[in-house]
Amino acid sequence: METQHSGPAPYRRRVQYYETDQMGVVHHSNYIRWFAEARTDFMRQIGAGYRDLEGLGLQIPVVGVSCAYKTPALFDETFVVETRLVSFNGVRICYRYEVRSQERGALLAEGESEHCFLDPRTGLPQDLKKRSPEHYAAMIQLLPKQDNV
Amino acid sequence: METQHSGPAPYRRRVQYYETDQMGVVHHSNYIRWFAEARTDFMRQIGAGYRDLEGLGLQIPVVGVSCAYKTPALFDETFVVETRLVSFNGVRICYRYEVRSQERGALLAEGESEHCFLDPRTGLPQDLKKRSPEHYAAMIQLLPKQDNV
Amino acid sequence: METQHSGPAPYRRRVQYYETDQMGVVHHSNYIRWFAEARTDFMRQIGAGYRDLEGLGLQIPVVGVSCAYKTPALFDETFVVETRLVSFNGVRICYRYEVRSQERGALLAEGESEHCFLDPRTGLPQDLKKRSPEHYAAMIQLLPKQDNV
Amino acid sequence: METQHSGPAPYRRRVQYYETDQMGVVHHSNYIRWFAEARTDFMRQIGAGYRDLEGLGLQIPVVGVSCAYKTPALFDETFVVETRLVSFNGVRICYRYEVRSQERGALLAEGESEHCFLDPRTGLPQDLKKRSPEHYAAMIQLLPKQDNV
């Protein structure tokens, strides 16, 4: 019998009016912000919050992002973002997101983002394993099983 | 001897203060908005502005978007977006963007977006060739040569 | 013995990274959005949600807004908005907001917004008392005592 | 015969799609950003750009802002912001804005913002007259005549 590693709870909040556009749905640029909100929440839940990491002198800029739009999100509905760690080697990290409507169940969008750990003073990539082994450990255990062996 | 088809002029404007974040550079979500600004300008230049197309009862929702971040954009500098039509079959359309710093010349980001033409009343995809042959013609001629034969 | 009319619960959420600017604090424009978020939440709590009112064919555009900035809000902290109905006559409505840092207790900002009820088809002001007596009643009871006599 | 001191040119740009909301008009929070854009442009034109002032170790946070909404701005139209210096004593500065539609001529919104000059290291107000006499001089001459005697 296997135990499923659950990971952090999904991120959810209501769609704001200023996030809609004159098509009557959420403007597509906002999903990139939702990914960022969900990622920040994910990191906070595992004890590796952005504020902590910035306190250690680390920044985590975005290297790339992609999003596929499935169903338009509507004002006032609650969206739910499931965030998963796709890959992580201490320096580079990739997340995958699924955004669903809580009320309708529909998949609204899905996407990925890639990041690296950086020292803002030098601009050089940093290995989290060396800079903060505890944060590294907290993250590495959330990798999918096949990458975690 | 061949004449190079130049296409619409690049889109450019200054980076606004509210587009920066506490890393001291432009927040990555804004580049998706810059793509949208550049695309809207591109379409306007070729006589197929969004306002015209919406007037014809057409919407052009985003199906997917991706962006690779190269060099952080800075407050007050002018960014320049070169937009190119990558593919177009009347129903689906794909654009490619290159964002550069006017002052520094550096490539800031590059990405793509994919869209479809839609009738908002029915939610069904529309063929621009049928709905507006002139707009279709204006766009098809901007395709790269190999796709245009 | 006096009973305190409590009104809806305050609105609270964390500050997002994309809401900060290169001063290292929240950009001032976002407080206007926070007012809107808090107001939407306030209305939902009293059973007069924007979605319901729009369903009745009513819009509630902003006529004016003001904000005084006291202490800069910081990334990742939780802000708390207390919203109060200042005046309401069925057609025009004025809210007052106080934004505090949950962690620091500090007053971050305070402000007001004024709105009217409108029929978007005619552009004419609407009296909520006539268009929806129940919603009118839910709101009028939240007025401060001296205005409510 | 009198010469009219004209001051910096108005700021203008097109309304972006992501600035509209599902009412089909520009969301009211964006006007606060338009004020900021116009102010930044105004300061740049008189040789006192934000980048220069930040380079001198000065920040110019917003102390207060207000906006009265007159006519909703529409997607794709060009808005024009006239910015005027209302008061300035070296430490505190107040601007007034009028936003018009270039196509329709209509007054879209008007408002004010108040700011102070600050040293971000100490958090203390700064007198521009002492910190940068040339920038002070460039600004003081733009005050309305009655305040400038």
Side-chain angles (χ1 to χ4, degrees):
Chain A
M1 221 176 91
E2 236 187 343
T3 53
Q4 173 69 31
H5 184 82
S6 63
Y11 175 75
R12 69 189 72 213
R13 74 159 168 84
R14 282 185 187 268
V15 173
Q16 297 301 331
Y17 207 92
Y18 60 77
E19 296 180 310
T20 63
D21 65 24
Q22 71 179 36
M23 271 196 240
V25 299
V26 169
H27 191 268
H28 65 278
S29 61
N30 292 306
Y31 292 79
I32 309 300
R33 299 190 164 185
W34 296 0
F35 290 173
E37 295 183 35
R39 182 171 64 243
T40 308
D41 186 60
F42 178 99
M43 296 290 277
R44 192 189 298 112
Q45 286 190 58
I46 66 170
Y50 271 59
R51 208 171 5 166
D52 297 336
L53 293 171
E54 291 198 348
L56 292 171
L58 289 171
Q59 285 181 343
I60 315 138
V62 181
V63 175
V65 73
S66 67
C67 184
Y69 302 92
K70 301 302 185 183
T71 307
L74 302 174
F75 168 61
D76 208 41
E77 73 176 337
T78 296
F79 66 83
V80 185
V81 187
E82 289 235 40
T83 305
R84 284 194 200 84
L85 216 55
V86 171
S87 66
F88 175 51
N89 65 4
V91 177
R92 286 217 161 203
I93 183 166
C94 183
Y95 298 93
R96 176 149 192 83
Y97 313 90
E98 280 185 17
V99 188
R100 289 177 188 280
S101 162
Q102 183 170 278
E103 303 174 21
R104 296 182 287 156
L107 180 64
L108 304 176
E110 53 189 357
E112 293 193 354
S113 68
E114 194 177 357
H115 309 255
C116 66
F117 290 92
L118 213 71
D119 186 323
R121 294 162 308 177
T122 63
L124 293 176
Q126 301 292 306
D127 189 341
L128 192 65
K129 194 171 186 175
K130 290 176 189 161
R131 291 292 299 265
S132 177
E134 323 82 67
H135 287 127
Y136 175 82
M139 291 173 66
I140 206 78
Q141 67 162 322
L142 291 169
L143 276 181
K145 289 294 183 303
Q146 65 275 27
D147 298 354
N148 198 11
V149 183
Chain B
M1 221 176 91
E2 236 186 344
T3 53
Q4 174 69 30
H5 185 82
S6 62
Y11 175 75
R12 70 189 71 213
R13 74 159 168 83
R14 283 185 187 268
V15 173
Q16 297 302 329
Y17 207 93
Y18 60 76
E19 296 180 310
T20 64
D21 64 24
Q22 71 179 37
M23 271 196 238
V25 299
V26 169
H27 190 269
H28 66 278
S29 61
N30 292 306
Y31 292 80
I32 308 301
R33 298 189 165 185
W34 296 359
F35 291 174
E37 295 183 35
R39 181 169 65 243
T40 308
D41 186 59
F42 179 99
M43 296 290 276
R44 192 189 298 112
Q45 286 190 58
I46 65 169
Y50 272 58
R51 207 168 10 162
D52 296 336
L53 293 171
E54 290 198 348
L56 291 171
L58 289 171
Q59 285 182 344
I60 315 138
V62 181
V63 174
V65 72
S66 67
C67 184
Y69 302 91
K70 301 302 185 182
T71 307
L74 302 174
F75 168 59
D76 208 41
E77 72 177 339
T78 296
F79 67 83
V80 185
V81 187
E82 289 234 41
T83 305
R84 285 194 199 84
L85 215 55
V86 171
S87 66
F88 174 52
N89 66 3
V91 177
R92 286 219 161 202
I93 182 165
C94 182
Y95 298 93
R96 175 147 194 84
Y97 314 89
E98 282 185 16
V99 188
R100 290 178 187 279
S101 162
Q102 183 170 279
E103 303 174 22
R104 297 181 286 156
L107 180 64
L108 303 175
E110 53 189 358
E112 293 193 353
S113 68
E114 194 177 356
H115 309 255
C116 66
F117 290 92
L118 213 71
D119 186 323
R121 292 163 308 176
T122 63
L124 294 176
Q126 300 292 306
D127 189 342
L128 192 65
K129 195 171 186 174
K130 290 176 190 162
R131 290 292 298 266
S132 176
E134 322 82 67
H135 288 128
Y136 175 82
M139 291 174 66
I140 206 78
Q141 66 162 322
L142 291 168
L143 276 181
K145 290 293 184 303
Q146 65 274 26
D147 298 355
N148 198 11
V149 182
Chain C
M1 218 174 92
E2 233 185 346
T3 52
Q4 174 68 31
H5 184 83
S6 62
Y11 175 75
R12 71 189 70 212
R13 74 159 167 84
R14 283 185 187 267
V15 173
Q16 297 301 330
Y17 207 92
Y18 60 77
E19 296 180 310
T20 63
D21 65 24
Q22 71 179 35
M23 270 196 240
V25 299
V26 169
H27 190 268
H28 66 277
S29 61
N30 291 305
Y31 293 79
I32 308 301
R33 299 189 164 185
W34 296 0
F35 290 173
E37 295 183 34
R39 180 169 68 243
T40 308
D41 186 60
F42 179 100
M43 296 291 276
R44 193 189 298 112
Q45 286 189 60
I46 66 170
Y50 272 59
R51 205 167 14 162
D52 296 336
L53 293 170
E54 291 199 347
L56 292 171
L58 288 171
Q59 285 182 343
I60 316 137
V62 181
V63 175
V65 73
S66 67
C67 184
Y69 301 92
K70 301 302 184 183
T71 307
L74 302 174
F75 168 60
D76 208 43
E77 72 177 339
T78 296
F79 66 84
V80 184
V81 187
E82 289 235 39
T83 305
R84 285 194 200 83
L85 215 55
V86 172
S87 66
F88 175 52
N89 66 2
V91 177
R92 287 219 161 203
I93 183 165
C94 183
Y95 298 93
R96 177 148 192 84
Y97 314 90
E98 281 184 17
V99 188
R100 289 177 187 280
S101 162
Q102 182 171 280
E103 303 174 21
R104 297 181 287 156
L107 180 64
L108 304 176
E110 53 190 356
E112 292 193 353
S113 68
E114 195 177 356
H115 310 254
C116 67
F117 290 92
L118 213 71
D119 185 323
R121 293 162 308 177
T122 63
L124 293 176
Q126 300 292 306
D127 189 342
L128 192 66
K129 195 171 187 175
K130 291 176 189 162
R131 291 291 299 266
S132 177
E134 322 83 67
H135 288 128
Y136 175 82
M139 291 173 66
I140 206 77
Q141 67 163 322
L142 292 168
L143 276 180
K145 290 293 185 302
Q146 64 276 26
D147 299 354
N148 197 9
V149 181
Chain D
M1 219 175 89
E2 233 186 347
T3 52
Q4 173 69 31
H5 184 82
S6 62
Y11 175 76
R12 71 189 69 213
R13 74 157 168 85
R14 283 185 186 266
V15 173
Q16 297 301 331
Y17 207 92
Y18 60 77
E19 296 180 310
T20 64
D21 65 23
Q22 70 179 36
M23 271 196 238
V25 299
V26 169
H27 190 268
H28 65 278
S29 61
N30 292 306
Y31 293 79
I32 308 301
R33 298 189 165 186
W34 296 0
F35 291 173
E37 295 182 35
R39 182 170 64 244
T40 309
D41 186 61
F42 179 100
M43 296 290 276
R44 193 189 297 113
Q45 286 190 60
I46 66 170
Y50 272 58
R51 208 169 8 164
D52 297 336
L53 293 170
E54 291 199 347
L56 291 171
L58 289 171
Q59 285 181 343
I60 315 138
V62 181
V63 175
V65 73
S66 67
C67 184
Y69 302 91
K70 301 303 184 182
T71 307
L74 302 174
F75 167 60
D76 208 42
E77 73 176 338
T78 295
F79 67 83
V80 185
V81 187
E82 289 235 39
T83 305
R84 286 195 199 83
L85 215 55
V86 171
S87 66
F88 175 52
N89 65 2
V91 177
R92 286 218 161 204
I93 183 166
C94 183
Y95 299 93
R96 177 148 192 83
Y97 314 90
E98 280 184 17
V99 188
R100 289 177 187 279
S101 162
Q102 182 170 281
E103 303 174 21
R104 296 182 287 155
L107 180 65
L108 304 176
E110 54 189 357
E112 293 194 354
S113 68
E114 195 178 355
H115 309 255
C116 66
F117 290 93
L118 212 72
D119 186 322
R121 294 163 308 176
T122 63
L124 293 176
Q126 300 292 307
D127 189 342
L128 192 66
K129 194 171 187 174
K130 291 177 188 160
R131 290 292 299 266
S132 177
E134 323 82 66
H135 288 127
Y136 175 82
M139 291 173 66
I140 206 77
Q141 67 162 322
L142 291 169
L143 277 180
K145 289 294 185 301
Q146 65 276 26
D147 298 354
N148 197 10
V149 183

